[in-house]
Amino acid sequence: MELRELGLFGYMKKYKHENLVFCQDEEVDFKAIIAIHCTALGSATGGTRMWKYESETDAIEDALRLSRGMTYKYAAAGVNLGGAKGVIMADPKRPDRERIFRTYGRFIDRLNGAYITGEDVGTTLEDMEYIAMETKFIVTLPEYLGGSGAISPMTAYGVLQGMRAAAKEVFGSDDLDGKKVAVQGLGSVGSSAVEQLAAYGAKLVVTDIDEARISTIRKRFDVEVTKADEIFGVDCDIFCPCALGAIINDKSIAQLKCKIVCGSANNQLEDADRHGPMLEKRGILYVPDYIANAGGTVYDTDRLMVGGLVNKERAKEKVARNYERVQELIAISKRDGIPSYRAADVMAEERIAAVSAVKRHTNTWTI
Ligand code: NAD
């Protein structure tokens, strides 16, 4: 919408976007857009989404918006990478994967490191393998190809470190033993969060819309199960959303009984400027989604900093620092008298400004 109003360059100027790359191959029926938002901290990196967009404008705006989100995510997480995103305009169920992703890989290769890609909605690790046949500028790869493999457990680990820091602020202790945590969604991240929370001794209330996932979790852990639409009203200490976006809204905020919201789901606030302050007014500490869920990408991209070699221990240590990130976030929120969702942006912007003062356009990482 905003892109239509401002025009392409108006929009890019407003949000400080650097590059927009269009890729087209008629024979392959291939159309993709690569948005490079900001290279102040390092090479522009971000996953590739495959989606059937209603219009070209929608695809461009999505690529631009998502690339900006990556800049903030890396900056706030202390990762020296810039933000970018690729979108392939196609049905994510399209079967001719090799043709699509090898074509895409060749376009990425032509950018010679200005963009490094990975997995996102509509793309799989297998698709990444096709890209890797054509370019080395790819981060998310299976372990046998030199990548970090599955990253969801590390996303969950990062969520929990942020949660512990939030607990320290709210309850005076970061010990989750005996804390009641309501987990929404038992997929890749949610199930791993349950496993790790159980190990911390947390009391768990869980839900999913997929009965099979509930029964798998029930077999492994001592959990209480609630209906999907009743999770918001559970009397608990912490709400951990690991399913969909926009779940923090007028309706759910009225039901929440928790003191902390900290989970992996992307875009949790339906309307950030309305629901961020509403949570604060209700005395609920919100750990912003892109801070809480950065663990997977911190883990995945760690090898880019050291010539491409995975070191699981070092990468995990970096994810553990999400504890300090959340402490920093809370400090900024208090310092500036702003809600936590805004403090996350300030934290990212301050880091970009600080590093920009030292160096700009440092897209010289090699893999
Ligand atoms: P997933 O698809 O594996 O799991 C999502 C789960 O949520 C599924 O089990 C699904 O049945 C359930 N669900 C859907 N709607 C629901 C509802 N209304 N109520 C309860 N459960 C519902 O996804 P994932 O990889 O675990 O990611 C979870 C969230 O975290 C997503 O928002 C994703 O964008 C975000 N995220 C994931 C990662 C990662 O490393 N996988 C990283 C950053 C952010």
Side-chain angles (χ1 to χ4, degrees), residues 74-79 161-162 165-166 169 285 287-288 291 321-336 338-340 342-352 354:
Y74 289 131
V79 174
Q161 302 323 303
E169 172 68 19
L285 175 55
V287 180
I291 305 278
R321 286 184 217 150
N322 216 27
Y323 188 106
E324 283 81 24
R325 302 274 167 232
V326 171
Q327 287 188 314
E328 201 182 326
L329 170 95
I330 293 167
I332 291 174
S333 173
K334 286 180 185 170
R335 180 195 73 191
D336 295 356
I338 52 176
S340 59
R342 253 312 284 155
D345 293 350
V346 170
M347 189 160 100
E349 284 158 7
E350 284 182 356
R351 178 141 195 282
I352 292 168

Short mmCIF file of all heavy atoms in Angstrom, two decimals, residues 74-79 161-162 165-166 169 285 287-288 291 321-336 338-340 342-352 354:
data_model
loop_
_atom_site.label_atom_id
_atom_site.label_comp_id
_atom_site.label_asym_id
_atom_site.label_seq_id
_atom_site.Cartn_x
_atom_site.Cartn_y
_atom_site.Cartn_z
N TYR A 74 19.57 -8.48 12.65
CA TYR A 74 21.01 -8.68 12.80
C TYR A 74 21.61 -7.62 13.72
O TYR A 74 22.44 -7.93 14.59
CB TYR A 74 21.72 -8.62 11.44
CG TYR A 74 21.45 -9.81 10.54
CD1 TYR A 74 21.06 -9.62 9.22
CD2 TYR A 74 21.58 -11.11 11.01
CE1 TYR A 74 20.82 -10.71 8.39
CE2 TYR A 74 21.33 -12.20 10.19
CZ TYR A 74 20.95 -11.99 8.88
OH TYR A 74 20.71 -13.06 8.06
N ALA A 75 21.21 -6.38 13.50
CA ALA A 75 21.80 -5.29 14.29
C ALA A 75 21.51 -5.49 15.77
O ALA A 75 22.42 -5.39 16.61
CB ALA A 75 21.26 -3.95 13.81
N ALA A 76 20.25 -5.79 16.10
CA ALA A 76 19.90 -5.95 17.51
C ALA A 76 20.57 -7.18 18.12
O ALA A 76 20.87 -7.21 19.30
CB ALA A 76 18.38 -6.06 17.65
N ALA A 77 20.82 -8.20 17.28
CA ALA A 77 21.42 -9.44 17.79
C ALA A 77 22.95 -9.34 17.86
O ALA A 77 23.61 -10.27 18.31
CB ALA A 77 21.02 -10.61 16.91
N GLY A 78 23.50 -8.23 17.41
CA GLY A 78 24.95 -8.07 17.46
C GLY A 78 25.67 -8.83 16.36
O GLY A 78 26.85 -9.15 16.48
N VAL A 79 24.96 -9.15 15.27
CA VAL A 79 25.57 -9.88 14.15
C VAL A 79 26.02 -8.87 13.10
O VAL A 79 25.26 -7.98 12.71
CB VAL A 79 24.54 -10.86 13.52
CG1 VAL A 79 25.11 -11.51 12.27
CG2 VAL A 79 24.13 -11.92 14.54
N GLN A 161 16.64 -18.04 26.54
CA GLN A 161 17.60 -17.15 27.21
C GLN A 161 16.99 -15.77 27.40
O GLN A 161 17.16 -15.13 28.44
CB GLN A 161 18.93 -17.08 26.43
CG GLN A 161 19.60 -18.42 26.21
CD GLN A 161 19.45 -19.36 27.40
OE1 GLN A 161 19.83 -19.05 28.53
NE2 GLN A 161 18.86 -20.53 27.16
N GLY A 162 16.26 -15.31 26.36
CA GLY A 162 15.55 -14.03 26.49
C GLY A 162 14.49 -14.10 27.58
O GLY A 162 14.31 -13.16 28.36
N ALA A 165 16.03 -13.75 31.03
CA ALA A 165 16.37 -12.36 31.36
C ALA A 165 15.10 -11.58 31.72
O ALA A 165 15.11 -10.77 32.66
CB ALA A 165 17.09 -11.70 30.18
N ALA A 166 14.03 -11.85 31.00
CA ALA A 166 12.76 -11.16 31.29
C ALA A 166 12.25 -11.60 32.67
O ALA A 166 11.74 -10.77 33.45
CB ALA A 166 11.73 -11.48 30.21
N GLU A 169 13.93 -9.77 35.42
CA GLU A 169 13.41 -8.41 35.56
C GLU A 169 12.06 -8.42 36.30
O GLU A 169 11.83 -7.63 37.21
CB GLU A 169 13.25 -7.79 34.16
CG GLU A 169 12.55 -6.45 34.11
CD GLU A 169 13.37 -5.33 34.75
OE1 GLU A 169 14.59 -5.51 34.91
OE2 GLU A 169 12.76 -4.30 35.10
N LEU A 285 5.49 -7.64 30.34
CA LEU A 285 6.76 -7.36 29.64
C LEU A 285 6.79 -8.16 28.33
O LEU A 285 6.74 -9.39 28.35
CB LEU A 285 7.96 -7.73 30.52
CG LEU A 285 9.34 -7.59 29.87
CD1 LEU A 285 9.59 -6.19 29.31
CD2 LEU A 285 10.44 -7.96 30.85
N VAL A 287 8.85 -9.32 25.16
CA VAL A 287 10.18 -9.45 24.54
C VAL A 287 9.93 -9.45 23.03
O VAL A 287 9.34 -10.39 22.49
CB VAL A 287 10.89 -10.74 24.97
CG1 VAL A 287 12.25 -10.83 24.29
CG2 VAL A 287 11.06 -10.77 26.49
N PRO A 288 10.32 -8.38 22.33
CA PRO A 288 9.97 -8.25 20.91
C PRO A 288 10.38 -9.47 20.10
O PRO A 288 11.46 -10.04 20.31
CB PRO A 288 10.73 -7.00 20.47
CG PRO A 288 10.95 -6.23 21.72
CD PRO A 288 11.12 -7.24 22.81
N ILE A 291 13.81 -10.01 18.55
CA ILE A 291 14.90 -10.21 19.52
C ILE A 291 14.80 -11.65 20.04
O ILE A 291 15.77 -12.39 20.08
CB ILE A 291 14.76 -9.23 20.71
CG1 ILE A 291 14.69 -7.79 20.23
CG2 ILE A 291 15.86 -9.47 21.75
CD1 ILE A 291 15.97 -7.13 19.92
N ARG A 321 23.84 -15.32 24.33
CA ARG A 321 23.92 -13.88 24.65
C ARG A 321 22.58 -13.16 24.47
O ARG A 321 22.47 -11.97 24.72
CB ARG A 321 25.01 -13.21 23.81
CG ARG A 321 26.38 -13.58 24.31
CD ARG A 321 27.47 -12.85 23.56
NE ARG A 321 28.59 -13.76 23.38
CZ ARG A 321 29.44 -13.75 22.37
NH1 ARG A 321 29.31 -12.85 21.42
NH2 ARG A 321 30.42 -14.62 22.30
N ASN A 322 21.58 -13.89 24.02
CA ASN A 322 20.26 -13.27 23.93
C ASN A 322 19.79 -12.82 25.32
O ASN A 322 18.97 -11.91 25.43
CB ASN A 322 19.24 -14.24 23.31
CG ASN A 322 18.24 -13.51 22.45
OD1 ASN A 322 18.54 -12.44 21.92
ND2 ASN A 322 17.05 -14.06 22.31
N TYR A 323 20.33 -13.45 26.34
CA TYR A 323 20.04 -13.03 27.72
C TYR A 323 20.45 -11.56 27.90
O TYR A 323 19.66 -10.72 28.34
CB TYR A 323 20.81 -13.93 28.67
CG TYR A 323 20.49 -13.76 30.14
CD1 TYR A 323 19.74 -14.71 30.81
CD2 TYR A 323 20.95 -12.65 30.86
CE1 TYR A 323 19.46 -14.57 32.17
CE2 TYR A 323 20.66 -12.50 32.22
CZ TYR A 323 19.92 -13.46 32.87
OH TYR A 323 19.64 -13.32 34.20
N GLU A 324 21.70 -11.26 27.52
CA GLU A 324 22.21 -9.88 27.68
C GLU A 324 21.49 -8.91 26.76
O GLU A 324 21.26 -7.76 27.11
CB GLU A 324 23.72 -9.82 27.40
CG GLU A 324 24.58 -10.35 28.53
CD GLU A 324 24.69 -11.87 28.54
OE1 GLU A 324 24.50 -12.49 27.48
OE2 GLU A 324 24.95 -12.44 29.62
N ARG A 325 21.11 -9.40 25.56
CA ARG A 325 20.39 -8.51 24.62
C ARG A 325 19.09 -8.04 25.26
O ARG A 325 18.70 -6.89 25.13
CB ARG A 325 20.03 -9.24 23.32
CG ARG A 325 21.16 -9.80 22.59
CD ARG A 325 21.81 -8.78 21.65
NE ARG A 325 23.07 -9.33 21.24
CZ ARG A 325 24.24 -8.72 21.30
NH1 ARG A 325 24.33 -7.48 21.69
NH2 ARG A 325 25.35 -9.31 20.94
N VAL A 326 18.40 -8.97 25.91
CA VAL A 326 17.12 -8.61 26.51
C VAL A 326 17.33 -7.67 27.70
O VAL A 326 16.57 -6.73 27.91
CB VAL A 326 16.30 -9.87 26.87
CG1 VAL A 326 15.06 -9.52 27.68
CG2 VAL A 326 15.89 -10.60 25.59
N GLN A 327 18.40 -7.89 28.43
CA GLN A 327 18.71 -6.96 29.53
C GLN A 327 18.97 -5.55 28.99
O GLN A 327 18.50 -4.56 29.54
CB GLN A 327 19.95 -7.45 30.28
CG GLN A 327 19.68 -8.66 31.15
CD GLN A 327 20.87 -9.01 32.03
OE1 GLN A 327 22.00 -9.03 31.54
NE2 GLN A 327 20.63 -9.27 33.28
N GLU A 328 19.71 -5.51 27.87
CA GLU A 328 20.03 -4.23 27.23
C GLU A 328 18.74 -3.54 26.76
O GLU A 328 18.55 -2.34 26.93
CB GLU A 328 20.94 -4.51 26.03
CG GLU A 328 21.76 -3.34 25.54
CD GLU A 328 22.58 -3.72 24.30
OE1 GLU A 328 23.04 -4.87 24.20
OE2 GLU A 328 22.75 -2.86 23.44
N LEU A 329 17.87 -4.35 26.19
CA LEU A 329 16.59 -3.86 25.69
C LEU A 329 15.77 -3.23 26.83
O LEU A 329 15.21 -2.13 26.69
CB LEU A 329 15.83 -5.06 25.09
CG LEU A 329 14.39 -4.84 24.72
CD1 LEU A 329 14.32 -4.49 23.25
CD2 LEU A 329 13.55 -6.06 25.01
N ILE A 330 15.73 -3.93 27.95
CA ILE A 330 14.96 -3.43 29.11
C ILE A 330 15.58 -2.11 29.60
O ILE A 330 14.87 -1.16 29.93
CB ILE A 330 14.92 -4.50 30.23
CG1 ILE A 330 14.11 -5.71 29.77
CG2 ILE A 330 14.35 -3.92 31.52
CD1 ILE A 330 14.25 -6.95 30.65
N ALA A 331 16.92 -2.06 29.58
CA ALA A 331 17.61 -0.84 30.04
C ALA A 331 17.27 0.35 29.11
O ALA A 331 17.02 1.46 29.58
CB ALA A 331 19.11 -1.08 30.07
N ILE A 332 17.24 0.11 27.80
CA ILE A 332 16.91 1.18 26.85
C ILE A 332 15.46 1.63 27.04
O ILE A 332 15.15 2.82 27.04
CB ILE A 332 17.15 0.72 25.38
CG1 ILE A 332 18.65 0.55 25.13
CG2 ILE A 332 16.54 1.70 24.38
CD1 ILE A 332 19.02 -0.03 23.78
N SER A 333 14.60 0.65 27.26
CA SER A 333 13.18 0.95 27.48
C SER A 333 13.02 1.88 28.69
O SER A 333 12.26 2.86 28.64
CB SER A 333 12.46 -0.38 27.68
OG SER A 333 11.15 -0.18 28.05
N LYS A 334 13.76 1.59 29.76
CA LYS A 334 13.68 2.43 30.97
C LYS A 334 14.34 3.78 30.73
O LYS A 334 13.83 4.82 31.12
CB LYS A 334 14.38 1.73 32.14
CG LYS A 334 13.59 0.57 32.69
CD LYS A 334 14.35 -0.06 33.84
CE LYS A 334 13.65 -1.29 34.35
NZ LYS A 334 14.46 -2.06 35.28
N ARG A 335 15.53 3.77 30.09
CA ARG A 335 16.29 5.00 29.84
C ARG A 335 15.46 6.01 29.05
O ARG A 335 15.40 7.18 29.38
CB ARG A 335 17.56 4.65 29.06
CG ARG A 335 18.47 5.82 28.71
CD ARG A 335 19.49 5.46 27.65
NE ARG A 335 18.87 5.33 26.33
CZ ARG A 335 19.46 4.82 25.26
NH1 ARG A 335 20.70 4.38 25.33
NH2 ARG A 335 18.82 4.74 24.11
N ASP A 336 14.79 5.50 27.98
CA ASP A 336 14.07 6.40 27.08
C ASP A 336 12.58 6.51 27.41
O ASP A 336 11.86 7.26 26.75
CB ASP A 336 14.22 5.93 25.62
CG ASP A 336 15.67 6.02 25.14
OD1 ASP A 336 16.51 6.51 25.92
OD2 ASP A 336 15.94 5.59 24.01
N ILE A 338 10.25 4.25 26.88
CA ILE A 338 9.49 3.76 25.72
C ILE A 338 9.16 2.27 25.91
O ILE A 338 9.87 1.55 26.60
CB ILE A 338 10.28 3.93 24.39
CG1 ILE A 338 11.70 3.33 24.52
CG2 ILE A 338 10.35 5.39 23.97
CD1 ILE A 338 12.52 3.37 23.25
N PRO A 339 8.07 1.80 25.25
CA PRO A 339 7.73 0.39 25.38
C PRO A 339 8.82 -0.50 24.75
O PRO A 339 9.58 -0.03 23.88
CB PRO A 339 6.43 0.24 24.59
CG PRO A 339 5.95 1.61 24.32
CD PRO A 339 7.11 2.53 24.41
N SER A 340 8.87 -1.75 25.18
CA SER A 340 9.97 -2.64 24.76
C SER A 340 10.03 -2.83 23.24
O SER A 340 11.11 -2.95 22.67
CB SER A 340 9.83 -3.99 25.45
OG SER A 340 8.59 -4.57 25.13
N ARG A 342 9.52 -0.73 20.95
CA ARG A 342 10.22 0.42 20.35
C ARG A 342 11.71 0.38 20.76
O ARG A 342 12.59 0.74 19.98
CB ARG A 342 9.61 1.73 20.85
CG ARG A 342 8.78 2.52 19.88
CD ARG A 342 9.40 2.73 18.52
NE ARG A 342 10.46 3.75 18.46
CZ ARG A 342 11.43 3.76 17.55
NH1 ARG A 342 11.51 2.83 16.63
NH2 ARG A 342 12.35 4.71 17.56
N ALA A 343 11.95 -0.05 21.99
CA ALA A 343 13.34 -0.12 22.47
C ALA A 343 14.17 -1.06 21.60
O ALA A 343 15.37 -0.84 21.40
CB ALA A 343 13.36 -0.58 23.93
N ALA A 344 13.53 -2.10 21.06
CA ALA A 344 14.26 -3.03 20.19
C ALA A 344 14.75 -2.30 18.94
O ALA A 344 15.91 -2.46 18.53
CB ALA A 344 13.33 -4.18 19.78
N ASP A 345 13.89 -1.47 18.37
CA ASP A 345 14.29 -0.70 17.17
C ASP A 345 15.41 0.27 17.52
O ASP A 345 16.37 0.43 16.76
CB ASP A 345 13.10 0.10 16.61
CG ASP A 345 12.02 -0.82 16.04
OD1 ASP A 345 12.26 -2.03 15.92
OD2 ASP A 345 10.91 -0.31 15.75
N VAL A 346 15.29 0.91 18.68
CA VAL A 346 16.32 1.88 19.10
C VAL A 346 17.66 1.17 19.28
O VAL A 346 18.71 1.65 18.85
CB VAL A 346 15.89 2.61 20.40
CG1 VAL A 346 17.03 3.44 20.98
CG2 VAL A 346 14.67 3.49 20.15
N MET A 347 17.60 -0.02 19.89
CA MET A 347 18.82 -0.80 20.11
C MET A 347 19.50 -1.11 18.77
O MET A 347 20.72 -0.95 18.62
CB MET A 347 18.45 -2.10 20.83
CG MET A 347 19.60 -2.90 21.32
SD MET A 347 19.03 -4.05 22.61
CE MET A 347 18.88 -5.54 21.70
N ALA A 348 18.70 -1.51 17.79
CA ALA A 348 19.25 -1.82 16.46
C ALA A 348 19.79 -0.55 15.80
O ALA A 348 20.91 -0.54 15.26
CB ALA A 348 18.16 -2.45 15.59
N GLU A 349 19.02 0.52 15.87
CA GLU A 349 19.43 1.77 15.20
C GLU A 349 20.71 2.34 15.82
O GLU A 349 21.58 2.84 15.12
CB GLU A 349 18.29 2.80 15.27
CG GLU A 349 17.16 2.48 14.28
CD GLU A 349 15.82 3.10 14.65
OE1 GLU A 349 15.76 3.91 15.62
OE2 GLU A 349 14.81 2.76 13.99
N GLU A 350 20.82 2.21 17.14
CA GLU A 350 22.03 2.72 17.80
C GLU A 350 23.26 1.94 17.36
O GLU A 350 24.34 2.50 17.16
CB GLU A 350 21.87 2.65 19.33
CG GLU A 350 20.97 3.76 19.85
CD GLU A 350 20.82 3.76 21.38
OE1 GLU A 350 21.35 2.85 22.03
OE2 GLU A 350 20.17 4.70 21.87
N ARG A 351 23.10 0.63 17.20
CA ARG A 351 24.24 -0.19 16.78
C ARG A 351 24.64 0.15 15.34
O ARG A 351 25.82 0.28 15.02
CB ARG A 351 23.89 -1.67 16.92
CG ARG A 351 24.99 -2.55 16.46
CD ARG A 351 25.16 -3.78 17.33
NE ARG A 351 26.46 -4.35 17.02
CZ ARG A 351 26.68 -5.08 15.93
NH1 ARG A 351 25.71 -5.33 15.09
NH2 ARG A 351 27.88 -5.53 15.70
N ILE A 352 23.65 0.33 14.47
CA ILE A 352 23.96 0.66 13.07
C ILE A 352 24.67 2.01 13.01
O ILE A 352 25.68 2.17 12.32
CB ILE A 352 22.67 0.68 12.22
CG1 ILE A 352 22.11 -0.74 12.11
CG2 ILE A 352 22.93 1.26 10.83
CD1 ILE A 352 20.71 -0.83 11.55
N ALA A 354 26.42 3.44 15.36
CA ALA A 354 27.77 3.35 15.94
C ALA A 354 28.75 2.73 14.95
O ALA A 354 29.86 3.23 14.75
CB ALA A 354 27.72 2.52 17.22
#
